[in-house]
Amino acid sequence: MATTNDIKNGTVLKLEGQLWNVIEFQHVKPGKGGAFVRTKMRNVMSGKVVDKTFNAGLKIETATVDRRDYQYLYQDGADFVFMDTSDFDQITVSGATVGDATNFMLENQMVNIAIHEGNPLYIELPPSVVLEITYTEPGLQGDRSSAGTKPATLETGYEIQVPLFVENNTKVKVDTRDGSYLGRVSE
């Protein structure tokens, strides 16, 4: 058991028989009244995000979660196979658990997998990844960097919006949290 004072980003709480991952937290000490902790949490299984407030010092149950680095090997039907780089054990993770991370994963890429009691809970990607654009319409003459955006397909098959000057076979940096274009990457 822990208290609400131990809550941090990434902490996994066990509430009402379900696991919740803390996305954001804020300790609040108002001028009068007791202190409290305001949190934004994601249900590990369903992905639902809720806001919950706890009184300061309240006892809460935390789940033991093992976070390890894995290498993405390949997709096997709807499942994904990862290898633990320390002992070379392979695990299979369902497509539902991987979720939107499939849009930014290439083979041999390193990811962080959170495991609770032998079950993979979720996958954490680095904040940004470098991917190559496989197809985009050519920009028009006179297009400038601030003139707007156009759709572009990445090597993973995911489509993002890029500036008009970006061309095919260009490596770009992409934010894995929202899929936004962050810039070109020079070799």
PDB file of all heavy atoms in Angstrom, residues 130-166:
ATOM      1  N   VAL A 130      12.135   8.599 -36.328  1.00  0.00           N
ATOM      2  CA  VAL A 130      12.484   9.031 -37.684  1.00  0.00           C
ATOM      3  C   VAL A 130      11.961   7.981 -38.656  1.00  0.00           C
ATOM      4  O   VAL A 130      12.295   6.805 -38.551  1.00  0.00           O
ATOM      5  CB  VAL A 130      14.013   9.198 -37.835  1.00  0.00           C
ATOM      6  CG1 VAL A 130      14.372   9.514 -39.275  1.00  0.00           C
ATOM      7  CG2 VAL A 130      14.519  10.277 -36.891  1.00  0.00           C
ATOM      8  N   LEU A 131      11.104   8.430 -39.586  1.00  0.00           N
ATOM      9  CA  LEU A 131      10.522   7.538 -40.579  1.00  0.00           C
ATOM     10  C   LEU A 131      10.664   8.164 -41.963  1.00  0.00           C
ATOM     11  O   LEU A 131      10.785   9.379 -42.095  1.00  0.00           O
ATOM     12  CB  LEU A 131       9.037   7.294 -40.268  1.00  0.00           C
ATOM     13  CG  LEU A 131       8.743   6.567 -38.961  1.00  0.00           C
ATOM     14  CD1 LEU A 131       7.256   6.609 -38.646  1.00  0.00           C
ATOM     15  CD2 LEU A 131       9.216   5.137 -39.031  1.00  0.00           C
ATOM     16  N   GLU A 132      10.616   7.317 -42.984  1.00  0.00           N
ATOM     17  CA  GLU A 132      10.749   7.798 -44.354  1.00  0.00           C
ATOM     18  C   GLU A 132       9.374   7.944 -44.996  1.00  0.00           C
ATOM     19  O   GLU A 132       8.488   7.118 -44.783  1.00  0.00           O
ATOM     20  CB  GLU A 132      11.595   6.810 -45.161  1.00  0.00           C
ATOM     21  CG  GLU A 132      11.919   7.297 -46.553  1.00  0.00           C
ATOM     22  CD  GLU A 132      12.896   6.362 -47.253  1.00  0.00           C
ATOM     23  OE1 GLU A 132      13.844   5.891 -46.604  1.00  0.00           O
ATOM     24  OE2 GLU A 132      12.687   6.116 -48.450  1.00  0.00           O
ATOM     25  N   ILE A 133       9.204   8.998 -45.781  1.00  0.00           N
ATOM     26  CA  ILE A 133       7.960   9.203 -46.506  1.00  0.00           C
ATOM     27  C   ILE A 133       8.030   8.375 -47.786  1.00  0.00           C
ATOM     28  O   ILE A 133       8.958   8.525 -48.583  1.00  0.00           O
ATOM     29  CB  ILE A 133       7.747  10.695 -46.827  1.00  0.00           C
ATOM     30  CG1 ILE A 133       7.490  11.425 -45.526  1.00  0.00           C
ATOM     31  CG2 ILE A 133       6.616  10.885 -47.815  1.00  0.00           C
ATOM     32  CD1 ILE A 133       7.268  12.897 -45.658  1.00  0.00           C
ATOM     33  N   THR A 134       7.047   7.486 -47.984  1.00  0.00           N
ATOM     34  CA  THR A 134       7.039   6.642 -49.172  1.00  0.00           C
ATOM     35  C   THR A 134       6.242   7.271 -50.307  1.00  0.00           C
ATOM     36  O   THR A 134       6.539   7.038 -51.472  1.00  0.00           O
ATOM     37  CB  THR A 134       6.462   5.253 -48.865  1.00  0.00           C
ATOM     38  OG1 THR A 134       5.159   5.413 -48.302  1.00  0.00           O
ATOM     39  CG2 THR A 134       7.356   4.497 -47.898  1.00  0.00           C
ATOM     40  N   TYR A 135       5.208   8.071 -49.970  1.00  0.00           N
ATOM     41  CA  TYR A 135       4.446   8.714 -51.036  1.00  0.00           C
ATOM     42  C   TYR A 135       3.831  10.013 -50.542  1.00  0.00           C
ATOM     43  O   TYR A 135       3.229  10.066 -49.471  1.00  0.00           O
ATOM     44  CB  TYR A 135       3.322   7.807 -51.549  1.00  0.00           C
ATOM     45  CG  TYR A 135       2.523   8.496 -52.632  1.00  0.00           C
ATOM     46  CD1 TYR A 135       3.023   8.617 -53.920  1.00  0.00           C
ATOM     47  CD2 TYR A 135       1.294   9.063 -52.346  1.00  0.00           C
ATOM     48  CE1 TYR A 135       2.315   9.285 -54.903  1.00  0.00           C
ATOM     49  CE2 TYR A 135       0.577   9.734 -53.324  1.00  0.00           C
ATOM     50  CZ  TYR A 135       1.089   9.845 -54.604  1.00  0.00           C
ATOM     51  OH  TYR A 135       0.403  10.503 -55.567  1.00  0.00           O
ATOM     52  N   THR A 136       3.974  11.042 -51.364  1.00  0.00           N
ATOM     53  CA  THR A 136       3.270  12.296 -51.162  1.00  0.00           C
ATOM     54  C   THR A 136       3.165  12.992 -52.513  1.00  0.00           C
ATOM     55  O   THR A 136       4.015  12.800 -53.382  1.00  0.00           O
ATOM     56  CB  THR A 136       3.956  13.202 -50.120  1.00  0.00           C
ATOM     57  OG1 THR A 136       3.127  14.338 -49.878  1.00  0.00           O
ATOM     58  CG2 THR A 136       5.328  13.646 -50.560  1.00  0.00           C
ATOM     59  N   GLU A 137       2.117  13.748 -52.699  1.00  0.00           N
ATOM     60  CA  GLU A 137       1.946  14.506 -53.939  1.00  0.00           C
ATOM     61  C   GLU A 137       3.060  15.540 -54.034  1.00  0.00           C
ATOM     62  O   GLU A 137       3.490  16.078 -53.031  1.00  0.00           O
ATOM     63  CB  GLU A 137       0.590  15.214 -53.943  1.00  0.00           C
ATOM     64  CG  GLU A 137      -0.596  14.282 -53.984  1.00  0.00           C
ATOM     65  CD  GLU A 137      -0.756  13.571 -55.315  1.00  0.00           C
ATOM     66  OE1 GLU A 137      -0.335  14.119 -56.353  1.00  0.00           O
ATOM     67  OE2 GLU A 137      -1.292  12.450 -55.307  1.00  0.00           O
ATOM     68  N   PRO A 138       3.523  15.861 -55.242  1.00  0.00           N
ATOM     69  CA  PRO A 138       4.539  16.905 -55.364  1.00  0.00           C
ATOM     70  C   PRO A 138       3.966  18.269 -54.983  1.00  0.00           C
ATOM     71  O   PRO A 138       2.788  18.527 -55.197  1.00  0.00           O
ATOM     72  CB  PRO A 138       4.931  16.860 -56.837  1.00  0.00           C
ATOM     73  CG  PRO A 138       3.886  16.072 -57.528  1.00  0.00           C
ATOM     74  CD  PRO A 138       3.202  15.231 -56.512  1.00  0.00           C
ATOM     75  N   GLY A 139       4.820  19.119 -54.407  1.00  0.00           N
ATOM     76  CA  GLY A 139       4.389  20.472 -54.057  1.00  0.00           C
ATOM     77  C   GLY A 139       4.322  21.312 -55.314  1.00  0.00           C
ATOM     78  O   GLY A 139       4.953  21.019 -56.328  1.00  0.00           O
ATOM     79  N   LEU A 140       3.554  22.379 -55.275  1.00  0.00           N
ATOM     80  CA  LEU A 140       3.406  23.251 -56.435  1.00  0.00           C
ATOM     81  C   LEU A 140       4.473  24.334 -56.440  1.00  0.00           C
ATOM     82  O   LEU A 140       4.997  24.705 -55.392  1.00  0.00           O
ATOM     83  CB  LEU A 140       2.016  23.890 -56.411  1.00  0.00           C
ATOM     84  CG  LEU A 140       0.844  22.903 -56.440  1.00  0.00           C
ATOM     85  CD1 LEU A 140      -0.464  23.643 -56.252  1.00  0.00           C
ATOM     86  CD2 LEU A 140       0.842  22.121 -57.737  1.00  0.00           C
ATOM     87  N   GLN A 141       4.796  24.850 -57.607  1.00  0.00           N
ATOM     88  CA  GLN A 141       5.781  25.920 -57.733  1.00  0.00           C
ATOM     89  C   GLN A 141       5.337  27.121 -56.900  1.00  0.00           C
ATOM     90  O   GLN A 141       4.181  27.518 -56.920  1.00  0.00           O
ATOM     91  CB  GLN A 141       5.910  26.321 -59.209  1.00  0.00           C
ATOM     92  CG  GLN A 141       6.915  27.426 -59.464  1.00  0.00           C
ATOM     93  CD  GLN A 141       8.344  26.980 -59.165  1.00  0.00           C
ATOM     94  OE1 GLN A 141       8.653  25.797 -59.172  1.00  0.00           O
ATOM     95  NE2 GLN A 141       9.196  27.916 -58.864  1.00  0.00           N
ATOM     96  N   GLY A 142       6.272  27.687 -56.163  1.00  0.00           N
ATOM     97  CA  GLY A 142       5.959  28.856 -55.347  1.00  0.00           C
ATOM     98  C   GLY A 142       5.518  28.502 -53.942  1.00  0.00           C
ATOM     99  O   GLY A 142       5.233  29.389 -53.146  1.00  0.00           O
ATOM    100  N   ASP A 143       5.408  27.213 -53.624  1.00  0.00           N
ATOM    101  CA  ASP A 143       5.019  26.834 -52.260  1.00  0.00           C
ATOM    102  C   ASP A 143       6.127  27.211 -51.289  1.00  0.00           C
ATOM    103  O   ASP A 143       7.301  27.028 -51.566  1.00  0.00           O
ATOM    104  CB  ASP A 143       4.773  25.315 -52.175  1.00  0.00           C
ATOM    105  CG  ASP A 143       3.478  24.925 -52.851  1.00  0.00           C
ATOM    106  OD1 ASP A 143       2.642  25.813 -53.048  1.00  0.00           O
ATOM    107  OD2 ASP A 143       3.325  23.746 -53.178  1.00  0.00           O
ATOM    108  N   ARG A 144       5.752  27.723 -50.169  1.00  0.00           N
ATOM    109  CA  ARG A 144       6.709  28.112 -49.135  1.00  0.00           C
ATOM    110  C   ARG A 144       6.476  27.262 -47.890  1.00  0.00           C
ATOM    111  O   ARG A 144       5.441  26.628 -47.737  1.00  0.00           O
ATOM    112  CB  ARG A 144       6.561  29.598 -48.788  1.00  0.00           C
ATOM    113  CG  ARG A 144       6.774  30.529 -49.963  1.00  0.00           C
ATOM    114  CD  ARG A 144       8.272  30.517 -50.352  1.00  0.00           C
ATOM    115  NE  ARG A 144       8.527  31.333 -51.517  1.00  0.00           N
ATOM    116  CZ  ARG A 144       8.691  30.864 -52.738  1.00  0.00           C
ATOM    117  NH1 ARG A 144       8.640  29.588 -52.978  1.00  0.00           N
ATOM    118  NH2 ARG A 144       8.935  31.681 -53.738  1.00  0.00           N
ATOM    119  N   SER A 145       7.419  27.325 -46.980  1.00  0.00           N
ATOM    120  CA  SER A 145       7.336  26.480 -45.785  1.00  0.00           C
ATOM    121  C   SER A 145       6.121  26.814 -44.935  1.00  0.00           C
ATOM    122  O   SER A 145       5.616  25.976 -44.208  1.00  0.00           O
ATOM    123  CB  SER A 145       8.604  26.626 -44.943  1.00  0.00           C
ATOM    124  OG  SER A 145       8.738  27.957 -44.504  1.00  0.00           O
ATOM    125  N   SER A 146       5.595  28.028 -45.022  1.00  0.00           N
ATOM    126  CA  SER A 146       4.448  28.395 -44.189  1.00  0.00           C
ATOM    127  C   SER A 146       3.140  28.367 -44.969  1.00  0.00           C
ATOM    128  O   SER A 146       2.134  28.855 -44.497  1.00  0.00           O
ATOM    129  CB  SER A 146       4.674  29.792 -43.607  1.00  0.00           C
ATOM    130  OG  SER A 146       4.780  30.728 -44.672  1.00  0.00           O
ATOM    131  N   ALA A 147       3.148  27.803 -46.182  1.00  0.00           N
ATOM    132  CA  ALA A 147       1.987  27.880 -47.060  1.00  0.00           C
ATOM    133  C   ALA A 147       0.901  26.852 -46.756  1.00  0.00           C
ATOM    134  O   ALA A 147      -0.165  26.933 -47.327  1.00  0.00           O
ATOM    135  CB  ALA A 147       2.436  27.746 -48.508  1.00  0.00           C
ATOM    136  N   GLY A 148       1.142  25.864 -45.941  1.00  0.00           N
ATOM    137  CA  GLY A 148       0.120  24.868 -45.655  1.00  0.00           C
ATOM    138  C   GLY A 148       0.706  23.479 -45.586  1.00  0.00           C
ATOM    139  O   GLY A 148       1.916  23.302 -45.540  1.00  0.00           O
ATOM    140  N   THR A 149      -0.193  22.490 -45.620  1.00  0.00           N
ATOM    141  CA  THR A 149       0.251  21.103 -45.487  1.00  0.00           C
ATOM    142  C   THR A 149      -0.417  20.243 -46.551  1.00  0.00           C
ATOM    143  O   THR A 149      -1.392  20.643 -47.177  1.00  0.00           O
ATOM    144  CB  THR A 149      -0.093  20.538 -44.100  1.00  0.00           C
ATOM    145  OG1 THR A 149      -1.516  20.577 -43.925  1.00  0.00           O
ATOM    146  CG2 THR A 149       0.588  21.306 -42.991  1.00  0.00           C
ATOM    147  N   LYS A 150       0.119  19.026 -46.689  1.00  0.00           N
ATOM    148  CA  LYS A 150      -0.437  18.030 -47.594  1.00  0.00           C
ATOM    149  C   LYS A 150      -0.269  16.668 -46.925  1.00  0.00           C
ATOM    150  O   LYS A 150       0.580  16.491 -46.056  1.00  0.00           O
ATOM    151  CB  LYS A 150       0.281  18.068 -48.943  1.00  0.00           C
ATOM    152  CG  LYS A 150       1.773  17.738 -48.848  1.00  0.00           C
ATOM    153  CD  LYS A 150       2.453  17.840 -50.183  1.00  0.00           C
ATOM    154  CE  LYS A 150       3.945  17.544 -50.048  1.00  0.00           C
ATOM    155  NZ  LYS A 150       4.625  17.615 -51.344  1.00  0.00           N
ATOM    156  N   PRO A 151      -1.083  15.663 -47.317  1.00  0.00           N
ATOM    157  CA  PRO A 151      -0.934  14.334 -46.728  1.00  0.00           C
ATOM    158  C   PRO A 151       0.302  13.612 -47.265  1.00  0.00           C
ATOM    159  O   PRO A 151       0.677  13.800 -48.421  1.00  0.00           O
ATOM    160  CB  PRO A 151      -2.217  13.610 -47.130  1.00  0.00           C
ATOM    161  CG  PRO A 151      -2.729  14.362 -48.315  1.00  0.00           C
ATOM    162  CD  PRO A 151      -2.231  15.770 -48.199  1.00  0.00           C
ATOM    163  N   ALA A 152       0.928  12.822 -46.413  1.00  0.00           N
ATOM    164  CA  ALA A 152       2.085  12.017 -46.808  1.00  0.00           C
ATOM    165  C   ALA A 152       1.998  10.662 -46.117  1.00  0.00           C
ATOM    166  O   ALA A 152       1.629  10.582 -44.943  1.00  0.00           O
ATOM    167  CB  ALA A 152       3.381  12.726 -46.421  1.00  0.00           C
ATOM    168  N   THR A 153       2.342   9.603 -46.839  1.00  0.00           N
ATOM    169  CA  THR A 153       2.297   8.255 -46.285  1.00  0.00           C
ATOM    170  C   THR A 153       3.697   7.862 -45.821  1.00  0.00           C
ATOM    171  O   THR A 153       4.664   7.966 -46.576  1.00  0.00           O
ATOM    172  CB  THR A 153       1.798   7.252 -47.337  1.00  0.00           C
ATOM    173  OG1 THR A 153       0.533   7.696 -47.819  1.00  0.00           O
ATOM    174  CG2 THR A 153       1.651   5.861 -46.734  1.00  0.00           C
ATOM    175  N   LEU A 154       3.785   7.393 -44.562  1.00  0.00           N
ATOM    176  CA  LEU A 154       5.063   6.956 -43.996  1.00  0.00           C
ATOM    177  C   LEU A 154       5.340   5.507 -44.378  1.00  0.00           C
ATOM    178  O   LEU A 154       4.453   4.792 -44.838  1.00  0.00           O
ATOM    179  CB  LEU A 154       5.029   7.084 -42.470  1.00  0.00           C
ATOM    180  CG  LEU A 154       4.814   8.489 -41.924  1.00  0.00           C
ATOM    181  CD1 LEU A 154       4.599   8.439 -40.417  1.00  0.00           C
ATOM    182  CD2 LEU A 154       6.002   9.374 -42.252  1.00  0.00           C
ATOM    183  N   GLU A 155       6.569   5.044 -44.141  1.00  0.00           N
ATOM    184  CA  GLU A 155       6.944   3.668 -44.472  1.00  0.00           C
ATOM    185  C   GLU A 155       6.169   2.638 -43.661  1.00  0.00           C
ATOM    186  O   GLU A 155       6.108   1.470 -44.037  1.00  0.00           O
ATOM    187  CB  GLU A 155       8.450   3.464 -44.326  1.00  0.00           C
ATOM    188  CG  GLU A 155       9.005   3.751 -42.958  1.00  0.00           C
ATOM    189  CD  GLU A 155      10.522   3.734 -42.950  1.00  0.00           C
ATOM    190  OE1 GLU A 155      11.112   2.733 -43.393  1.00  0.00           O
ATOM    191  OE2 GLU A 155      11.107   4.715 -42.479  1.00  0.00           O
ATOM    192  N   THR A 156       5.528   3.046 -42.555  1.00  0.00           N
ATOM    193  CA  THR A 156       4.697   2.128 -41.775  1.00  0.00           C
ATOM    194  C   THR A 156       3.280   2.046 -42.321  1.00  0.00           C
ATOM    195  O   THR A 156       2.482   1.248 -41.852  1.00  0.00           O
ATOM    196  CB  THR A 156       4.617   2.593 -40.305  1.00  0.00           C
ATOM    197  OG1 THR A 156       4.045   3.904 -40.267  1.00  0.00           O
ATOM    198  CG2 THR A 156       5.970   2.581 -39.648  1.00  0.00           C
ATOM    199  N   GLY A 157       2.951   2.919 -43.307  1.00  0.00           N
ATOM    200  CA  GLY A 157       1.606   2.938 -43.868  1.00  0.00           C
ATOM    201  C   GLY A 157       0.716   4.004 -43.250  1.00  0.00           C
ATOM    202  O   GLY A 157      -0.397   4.234 -43.711  1.00  0.00           O
ATOM    203  N   TYR A 158       1.197   4.674 -42.215  1.00  0.00           N
ATOM    204  CA  TYR A 158       0.421   5.710 -41.529  1.00  0.00           C
ATOM    205  C   TYR A 158       0.513   7.019 -42.305  1.00  0.00           C
ATOM    206  O   TYR A 158       1.551   7.333 -42.878  1.00  0.00           O
ATOM    207  CB  TYR A 158       0.953   5.879 -40.102  1.00  0.00           C
ATOM    208  CG  TYR A 158       0.145   6.805 -39.235  1.00  0.00           C
ATOM    209  CD1 TYR A 158      -1.157   6.490 -38.883  1.00  0.00           C
ATOM    210  CD2 TYR A 158       0.700   7.984 -38.753  1.00  0.00           C
ATOM    211  CE1 TYR A 158      -1.891   7.329 -38.071  1.00  0.00           C
ATOM    212  CE2 TYR A 158      -0.037   8.831 -37.938  1.00  0.00           C
ATOM    213  CZ  TYR A 158      -1.332   8.493 -37.602  1.00  0.00           C
ATOM    214  OH  TYR A 158      -2.065   9.335 -36.793  1.00  0.00           O
ATOM    215  N   GLU A 159      -0.576   7.775 -42.338  1.00  0.00           N
ATOM    216  CA  GLU A 159      -0.592   9.041 -43.075  1.00  0.00           C
ATOM    217  C   GLU A 159      -0.543  10.217 -42.107  1.00  0.00           C
ATOM    218  O   GLU A 159      -1.296  10.245 -41.127  1.00  0.00           O
ATOM    219  CB  GLU A 159      -1.858   9.114 -43.934  1.00  0.00           C
ATOM    220  CG  GLU A 159      -1.835  10.254 -44.931  1.00  0.00           C
ATOM    221  CD  GLU A 159      -3.007  10.179 -45.896  1.00  0.00           C
ATOM    222  OE1 GLU A 159      -2.929   9.399 -46.856  1.00  0.00           O
ATOM    223  OE2 GLU A 159      -3.986  10.906 -45.665  1.00  0.00           O
ATOM    224  N   ILE A 160       0.351  11.176 -42.393  1.00  0.00           N
ATOM    225  CA  ILE A 160       0.467  12.384 -41.572  1.00  0.00           C
ATOM    226  C   ILE A 160       0.394  13.606 -42.483  1.00  0.00           C
ATOM    227  O   ILE A 160       0.452  13.482 -43.707  1.00  0.00           O
ATOM    228  CB  ILE A 160       1.790  12.421 -40.763  1.00  0.00           C
ATOM    229  CG1 ILE A 160       3.002  12.481 -41.709  1.00  0.00           C
ATOM    230  CG2 ILE A 160       1.889  11.246 -39.815  1.00  0.00           C
ATOM    231  CD1 ILE A 160       4.316  12.780 -41.004  1.00  0.00           C
ATOM    232  N   GLN A 161       0.275  14.783 -41.886  1.00  0.00           N
ATOM    233  CA  GLN A 161       0.295  16.039 -42.627  1.00  0.00           C
ATOM    234  C   GLN A 161       1.708  16.610 -42.572  1.00  0.00           C
ATOM    235  O   GLN A 161       2.303  16.684 -41.502  1.00  0.00           O
ATOM    236  CB  GLN A 161      -0.694  17.038 -42.016  1.00  0.00           C
ATOM    237  CG  GLN A 161      -2.146  16.636 -42.189  1.00  0.00           C
ATOM    238  CD  GLN A 161      -2.588  16.675 -43.640  1.00  0.00           C
ATOM    239  OE1 GLN A 161      -2.255  17.585 -44.386  1.00  0.00           O
ATOM    240  NE2 GLN A 161      -3.337  15.652 -44.056  1.00  0.00           N
ATOM    241  N   VAL A 162       2.242  16.996 -43.738  1.00  0.00           N
ATOM    242  CA  VAL A 162       3.583  17.571 -43.819  1.00  0.00           C
ATOM    243  C   VAL A 162       3.522  18.877 -44.600  1.00  0.00           C
ATOM    244  O   VAL A 162       2.577  19.107 -45.354  1.00  0.00           O
ATOM    245  CB  VAL A 162       4.577  16.592 -44.501  1.00  0.00           C
ATOM    246  CG1 VAL A 162       4.720  15.302 -43.709  1.00  0.00           C
ATOM    247  CG2 VAL A 162       4.163  16.298 -45.934  1.00  0.00           C
ATOM    248  N   PRO A 163       4.532  19.740 -44.449  1.00  0.00           N
ATOM    249  CA  PRO A 163       4.581  20.966 -45.255  1.00  0.00           C
ATOM    250  C   PRO A 163       4.685  20.641 -46.747  1.00  0.00           C
ATOM    251  O   PRO A 163       5.140  19.562 -47.132  1.00  0.00           O
ATOM    252  CB  PRO A 163       5.851  21.676 -44.768  1.00  0.00           C
ATOM    253  CG  PRO A 163       6.112  21.100 -43.429  1.00  0.00           C
ATOM    254  CD  PRO A 163       5.600  19.693 -43.463  1.00  0.00           C
ATOM    255  N   LEU A 164       4.295  21.582 -47.582  1.00  0.00           N
ATOM    256  CA  LEU A 164       4.237  21.362 -49.026  1.00  0.00           C
ATOM    257  C   LEU A 164       5.589  21.076 -49.659  1.00  0.00           C
ATOM    258  O   LEU A 164       5.667  20.427 -50.701  1.00  0.00           O
ATOM    259  CB  LEU A 164       3.593  22.580 -49.704  1.00  0.00           C
ATOM    260  CG  LEU A 164       2.129  22.804 -49.334  1.00  0.00           C
ATOM    261  CD1 LEU A 164       1.658  24.151 -49.855  1.00  0.00           C
ATOM    262  CD2 LEU A 164       1.252  21.689 -49.856  1.00  0.00           C
ATOM    263  N   PHE A 165       6.697  21.523 -49.045  1.00  0.00           N
ATOM    264  CA  PHE A 165       8.012  21.334 -49.660  1.00  0.00           C
ATOM    265  C   PHE A 165       8.594  19.935 -49.445  1.00  0.00           C
ATOM    266  O   PHE A 165       9.586  19.578 -50.063  1.00  0.00           O
ATOM    267  CB  PHE A 165       9.015  22.383 -49.144  1.00  0.00           C
ATOM    268  CG  PHE A 165       9.229  22.339 -47.658  1.00  0.00           C
ATOM    269  CD1 PHE A 165      10.114  21.433 -47.094  1.00  0.00           C
ATOM    270  CD2 PHE A 165       8.543  23.206 -46.831  1.00  0.00           C
ATOM    271  CE1 PHE A 165      10.313  21.387 -45.723  1.00  0.00           C
ATOM    272  CE2 PHE A 165       8.746  23.169 -45.455  1.00  0.00           C
ATOM    273  CZ  PHE A 165       9.630  22.259 -44.902  1.00  0.00           C
ATOM    274  N   VAL A 166       7.991  19.109 -48.600  1.00  0.00           N
ATOM    275  CA  VAL A 166       8.517  17.765 -48.321  1.00  0.00           C
ATOM    276  C   VAL A 166       8.226  16.848 -49.511  1.00  0.00           C
ATOM    277  O   VAL A 166       7.133  16.853 -50.060  1.00  0.00           O
ATOM    278  CB  VAL A 166       7.904  17.201 -47.021  1.00  0.00           C
ATOM    279  CG1 VAL A 166       8.350  15.769 -46.794  1.00  0.00           C
ATOM    280  CG2 VAL A 166       8.283  18.069 -45.840  1.00  0.00           C
TER     281      VAL A 166
END
